[in-house]
């Protein structure tokens, strides 16, 4: 695995433990209410102690979460990391001078060691006499021994490490607003690669120390903020204007610049994305709408994000969040902030700047943002994920191409055998906002906040041995439901079930692997039998069998074996457009009784040969004499 792919996996694993922080913020906010005046002081005590407990044991959560993430959710790896943290706590507590306390950095180190050890040694075979310690048990053994040695070494190293972190804090303090400007730009750049969690872990959980009233030493901008450190919150405050106002401003600009015929759909999608960003701070759905089509706008976005960090620092604004810089965290944690009211006018100003800047740029440079052309937008996934998942899996290169599939908040994070087998157009038509190839088979596909649900459905398909047949687009054009074919025989599914296409080019290609079993004399239609026994009819136009004069030219003959994308028939598109009853071209399975379930891609524009436009699951595993 290449270094960028390794960082992707580590970034995903580091992010996992932070998912528990919103509960801590809610508990601490509840504890800050005047319960004593209401005669319920115990509620304040329970909520406060419960919230503080999450921050106190955060290093242990990082150890388990990182190990679990790196080891593909393997329990022994998380158990080994937790045992290592217990060893570290006891050894440094008894041999140290009392100043050494578990930190999130130590938790991450134990998580990495445990995860890597599990991946390396989980199948190890020892001599029979000691084989009891083989396999995953060897991971527990080796990490336990490592923990003892590492903890002993850290008794001497920890003070030096702490001095290094203090130096980093001092440097960032000396840099002042410029340091925050650089941090803000790096944060936004790394977001595009899904690696911002690594940067944030340093500044949110490592930089700066604060000694609480009980003597507990707390590290990192985020824990210090919730512990009441008045100097904390500088690495988070500048994100609020961007998440709450600037990015929703982009979404509004994209909506207003969409074509009138596509505007209703774009409005629904991007106003929802704007609301999600405003409330929760999840921004990637909006950012990926322009990242690939206008990277220079993303550069402007990066610079303005850095300036927002500098501005909030210059104005002495301190605010923090447990999850992200949305209005929910803004309200929940306002009682701990300083000058946070200023974020609202700053945010409004940023929102207006972003809105007018992006509207001008989209119109001036004709940027093909969603709604400006027939492209993908983030669909309403919630009801169709189980039906789209087979098509997504096929667009990723199929089950055999997947090594590992994980997800974070807004994207699938995959390791594949060959990233060239991934169909980016197919993924785009299925709702993807962006595809990022990091090399070494490491790929990210942005699907928005439903990514976790998509991952679950894809993993289910990976574990099930279903007999599936995948269909590519036979023409370039617009895909239509079979019910919209302007012919009652096809529309009523009397010939068979499937889909139809309105072609924009003059070529018909094979949608499947199979054998040509019939070509009509006028060559306007042909039939293909797949190895699984499905019979597929491709019919160019409606009532085109009446046309004489060689307007169709077959490039194959009966008995030929064909593959997806292979040219089958060329036809005179201008003539058909003028003389045929309709250009709509059905693609139907004429023996639909073999099919158990159907999946269809969104009905929109497709490229010729584009994969994953339709998928069917068969009733049986052995049909037509072919084994699956």
């Amino acid at each position: 695995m290449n270094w960028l792919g390794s960082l992707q996996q580590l970034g995903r694993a580091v992010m996992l433990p932070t998912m528990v922080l919103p509960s801590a913020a809610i508990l601490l906010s509840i504890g800050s209410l005047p319960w004593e005046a209401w005669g319920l002081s115990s509620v304040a005590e329970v909520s406060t102690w419960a919230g503080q407990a999450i921050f106190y044991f955060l290093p242990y959560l990082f150890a388990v979460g990182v190990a679990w993430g790196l080891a593909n959710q393997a329990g022994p790896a998380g158990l080994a990391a937790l045992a290592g943290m217990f060893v570290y706590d006891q050894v440094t507590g008894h041999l140290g001078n009392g100043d050494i306390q578990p930190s999130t950095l130590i938790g991450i180190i134990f998580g990495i060691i445990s995860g890597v050890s599990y991946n390396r040694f989980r199948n190890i075979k020892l001599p029979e006499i000691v084989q009891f310690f083989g396999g995953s048990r060897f991971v527990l053994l080796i990490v336990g021994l490592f923990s003892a040695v590492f903890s002993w070494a850290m008794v001497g190293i920890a003070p030096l490490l702490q001095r290094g972190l203090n130096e980093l804090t001092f440097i960032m303090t000396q840099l002042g607003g410029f340091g925050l400007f650089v941090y803000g730009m790096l944060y936004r750049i790394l977001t595009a690669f899904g690696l911002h969690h690594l940067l944030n872990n340093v500044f949110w959980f490592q930089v700066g120390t604060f000694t609480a009233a009980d003597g507990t030493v707390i590290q990192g901008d985020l824990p210090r903020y919730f512990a009441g450190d008045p100097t904390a919150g500088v690495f988070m405050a500048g994100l609020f204007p961007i998440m709450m106002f600037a990015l929703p401003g982009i979404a509004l600009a994209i909506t207003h610049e969409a074509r009138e015929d596509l505007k209703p759909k774009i409005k629904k999608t991007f106003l929802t994305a704007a609301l999600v960003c405003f409330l929760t701070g999840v921004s990637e759905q909006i950012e990926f709408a322009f990242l690939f089509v206008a990277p220079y706008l993303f550069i402007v976005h990066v610079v303005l994000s850095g300036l927002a960090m500098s501005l909030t620092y210059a104005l002495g604004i301190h605010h923090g969040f447990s999850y992200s810089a949305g209005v929910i965290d803004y309200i929940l944690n306002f009682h701990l902030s300083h000058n946070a009211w200023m974020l609202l006018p700053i945010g409004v100003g940023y929102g207006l700047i972003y809105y007018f800047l992006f509207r001008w740029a989209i119109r001036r440079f004709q940027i093909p943002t969603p709604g400006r052309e027939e492209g993908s937008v983030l669909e309403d996934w919630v009801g169709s994920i189980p039906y789209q998942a087979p098509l997504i899996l096929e667009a990723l290169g199929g089950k055999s191409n997947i090594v590992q599939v994980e997800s974070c908040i807004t994207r699938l994070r995959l390791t594949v055998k060959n990233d060239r087998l991934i169909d980016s157009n197919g993924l785009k038509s299925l709702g993807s906002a962006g595809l990022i190839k990091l090399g070494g088979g490491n790929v990210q596909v942005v699907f928005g906040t439903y990514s976790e649900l998509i991952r679950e459905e894809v993993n289910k398909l990976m574990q099930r041995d279903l007999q599936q047949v995948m269909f590519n687009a036979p023409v370039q054009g617009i895909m239509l439901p079979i019910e919209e074919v302007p012919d009652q025989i096809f529309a009523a599914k009397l010939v068979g079930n499937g889909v139809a296409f309105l072609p924009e080019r003059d070529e018909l290609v094979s949608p499947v692997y199979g054998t040509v079993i019939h070509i009509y004399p006028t060559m306007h239609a042909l039939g293909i039998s797949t190895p699984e026994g499905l019979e597929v009819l491709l019919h160019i136009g409606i009532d085109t069998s009446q046309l004489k004069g060689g307007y169709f030219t077959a490039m194959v003959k009966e008995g030929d074996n064909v593959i997806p994308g292979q040219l089958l028939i060329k036809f005179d598109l201008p003539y058909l457009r003028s003389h045929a009853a309709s250009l709509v071209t059905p693609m139907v399975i004429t023996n639909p009784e073999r099919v158990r379930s159907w999946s269809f891609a969104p009905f929109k524009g497709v490229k010729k040969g584009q994969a994953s436009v339709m998928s069917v699951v068969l009733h049986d595993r052995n049909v037509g004499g072919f084994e699956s």
Side-chain angles (χ1 to χ4, degrees):
M1 181 181 292
N2 68 342
W3 66 271
L4 199 56
S6 299
L7 288 178
Q8 172 194 233
Q9 190 175 12
L10 179 59
R12 181 189 67 235
V14 167
M15 181 197 65
L16 184 63
T18 63
M19 295 297 98
V20 75
L21 292 179
S23 61
I26 293 172
L27 287 167
L28 290 174
S29 296
I30 292 174
S32 67
L33 296 175
W35 294 102
E36 188 172 352
W38 302 335
L40 296 171
S41 58
S42 60
V43 175
E45 294 177 3
V46 169
S47 299
T48 301
W49 280 107
Q52 290 177 350
I54 293 176
F55 284 105
Y56 181 81
F57 289 103
L58 199 58
Y60 298 84
L61 296 174
F62 267 95
V64 175
V66 170
W68 197 67
L70 291 179
N72 195 22
Q73 304 176 7
L79 183 61
L82 185 61
M85 287 297 295
F86 289 148
V87 171
Y88 179 86
D89 181 59
Q90 290 298 304
V91 170
T92 57
H94 286 83
L95 299 183
N97 58 8
D99 292 335
I100 302 176
Q101 297 179 5
S103 66
T104 55
L105 177 60
I106 297 300
I108 291 172
I109 291 174
F110 275 110
I112 293 173
I113 295 298
S114 301
V116 172
S117 297
Y118 179 84
N119 293 334
R120 175 66 177 84
F121 298 115
R122 66 178 182 272
N123 295 319
I124 191 172
K125 293 183 179 180
L126 301 176
E128 185 176 354
I129 192 172
V130 290
Q131 179 54 32
F132 172 80
F133 297 105
S136 60
R137 288 183 291 272
F138 185 75
V139 179
L140 297 169
L141 175 64
I142 194 172
V143 173
L145 296 175
F146 167 83
S147 302
V149 176
F150 177 81
S151 303
W152 185 25
M154 284 301 294
V155 172
I157 296 175
L160 300 177
L161 188 62
Q162 186 58 56
R163 279 202 290 271
L165 289 173
N166 291 340
E167 284 294 322
L168 179 59
T169 305
F170 177 76
I171 292 173
M172 294 303 298
T173 302
Q174 292 298 107
L175 290 174
F178 179 73
L180 270 296
F181 173 74
V182 173
Y183 167 77
M185 290 201 304
L186 288 176
Y187 174 92
R188 195 54 58 194
I189 292 170
L190 292 175
T191 298
F193 299 96
L195 302 178
H196 52 297
H197 304 295
L198 297 177
L199 176 74
N200 293 339
N201 189 270
V202 174
F203 291 98
W204 292 357
F205 297 103
Q206 308 296 333
V207 172
T209 59
F210 173 68
T211 304
D214 61 357
T216 303
V217 178
I218 301 167
Q219 291 182 315
D221 200 48
L222 192 152
R224 288 190 293 115
Y225 179 80
F226 284 98
D229 184 354
T231 66
V234 294
F235 289 100
M236 295 179 282
L239 295 175
F240 283 98
I242 302 298
M243 302 300 194
M244 289 172 55
F245 297 95
L247 286 162
I250 296 175
L252 194 61
I254 290 174
T255 300
H256 288 167
E257 287 300 318
R259 283 174 11 201
E260 288 301 321
D261 58 323
L262 297 176
K263 189 167 289 186
K265 190 174 187 180
I266 295 297
K267 183 177 180 180
K268 174 185 175 183
T269 300
F270 276 89
L271 290 187
T272 299
L275 183 62
V276 168
C277 189
F278 176 74
L279 291 175
T280 68
V282 176
S283 63
E284 288 153 305
Q285 295 182 356
I286 300 172
E287 288 178 302
F288 277 87
F290 66 91
L291 172 59
F292 296 106
V293 296
Y296 46 87
L297 274 182
F298 186 76
I299 295 174
V300 174
H301 174 46
V302 166
V303 174
L304 289 175
S305 297
L307 289 174
M309 299 294 296
S310 296
L311 180 60
T312 55
Y313 176 82
L315 295 175
I317 302 173
H318 296 252
H319 204 352
F321 48 77
S322 61
Y323 177 68
S324 189
V327 72
I328 294 175
D329 262 302
Y330 178 86
I331 295 172
L332 275 177
N333 310 316
F334 189 85
H335 64 286
L336 296 171
S337 66
H338 180 66
N339 289 334
W341 66 269
M342 294 183 183
L343 292 173
L344 298 179
I346 293 173
V348 171
Y350 255 78
L352 292 173
I353 290 172
Y354 268 66
Y355 172 74
F356 288 110
L357 172 63
F358 272 74
R359 280 205 72 174
W360 172 82
I362 291 170
R363 187 177 302 177
R364 174 66 176 81
F365 301 109
Q366 294 297 304
I367 300 172
T369 50
R372 300 276 293 179
E373 62 176 6
E374 190 65 56
S376 172
V377 296
L378 297 172
E379 303 290 339
D380 182 7
W381 278 94
V382 70
S384 59
I385 291 174
Y387 305 102
Q388 304 286 8
L391 301 175
I392 293 172
L393 179 58
E394 181 66 15
L396 292 171
K399 184 188 300 186
S400 61
N401 193 41
I402 305 296
V403 177
Q404 183 178 355
V405 54
E406 296 292 341
S407 65
C408 61
I409 299 170
T410 58
R411 63 186 83 189
L412 295 182
R413 295 169 179 257
L414 306 115
T415 303
V416 298
K417 294 178 182 177
N418 185 356
D419 59 18
R420 294 183 180 179
L421 297 179
I422 295 176
D423 182 0
S424 58
N425 287 328
L427 289 172
K428 184 179 180 182
S429 73
L430 291 164
S432 167
L435 172 67
I436 305 169
K437 296 182 179 181
L438 299 176
N442 294 283
V443 176
Q444 298 176 1
V445 187
V446 180
F447 275 114
T449 52
Y450 291 119
S451 294
E452 175 64 20
L453 298 178
I454 296 172
R455 180 195 66 81
E456 291 178 3
E457 292 298 329
V458 169
N459 274 333
K460 288 178 184 178
L461 292 172
M462 295 281 292
Q463 296 166 9
R464 294 161 61 190
D465 190 14
L466 297 175
Q467 179 77 342
Q468 284 184 286
V469 182
M470 312 299 298
F471 287 76
N472 291 13
V475 297
Q476 178 167 318
I478 299 173
M479 181 170 154
L480 304 169
I482 194 67
E483 293 82 2
E484 294 185 12
V485 176
D487 181 275
Q488 188 57 33
I489 294 177
F490 281 110
K493 304 180 183 178
L494 298 179
V495 178
N497 197 3
V499 294
F501 301 86
L502 183 62
E504 297 173 351
R505 299 285 178 86
D506 60 355
E507 293 181 337
L508 180 80
V509 301
S510 177
V512 291
Y513 291 95
T515 302
V516 179
I517 57 175
H518 183 64
I519 300 178
Y520 286 76
T522 55
M523 302 183 191
H524 73 287
L526 57 73
I528 299 174
S529 178
T530 73
E532 298 82 7
L534 292 180
E535 296 176 359
V536 182
L537 171 66
L538 297 165
H539 193 287
I540 303 172
I542 301 301
D543 293 338
T544 47
S545 61
Q546 309 301 319
L547 301 177
K548 310 294 183 182
Y551 300 108
F552 303 92
T553 304
M555 312 303 292
V556 294
K557 60 183 183 299
E558 292 180 2
D560 283 355
N561 292 323
V562 294
I563 63 174
Q566 180 176 338
L567 181 60
L568 301 176
I569 297 174
K570 288 184 67 69
F571 50 93
D572 189 334
L573 185 62
Y575 183 84
L576 295 184
R577 188 176 283 122
S578 301
H579 294 81
S582 172
L583 279 174
V584 172
T585 299
M587 177 180 74
V588 297
I589 296 174
T590 57
N591 54 346
E593 67 277 1
R594 294 289 187 96
V595 178
R596 187 171 76 188
S597 64
W598 304 73
S599 298
F600 303 101
F603 296 102
K604 57 173 61 174
V606 295
K607 302 293 185 182
K608 179 184 66 177
Q610 178 179 311
S612 310
V613 298
M614 184 175 80
S615 167
V616 299
V617 176
L618 305 184
H619 278 296
D620 46 12
R621 288 182 43 78
N622 188 3
V623 292
F626 290 85
E627 287 287 347
S628 62

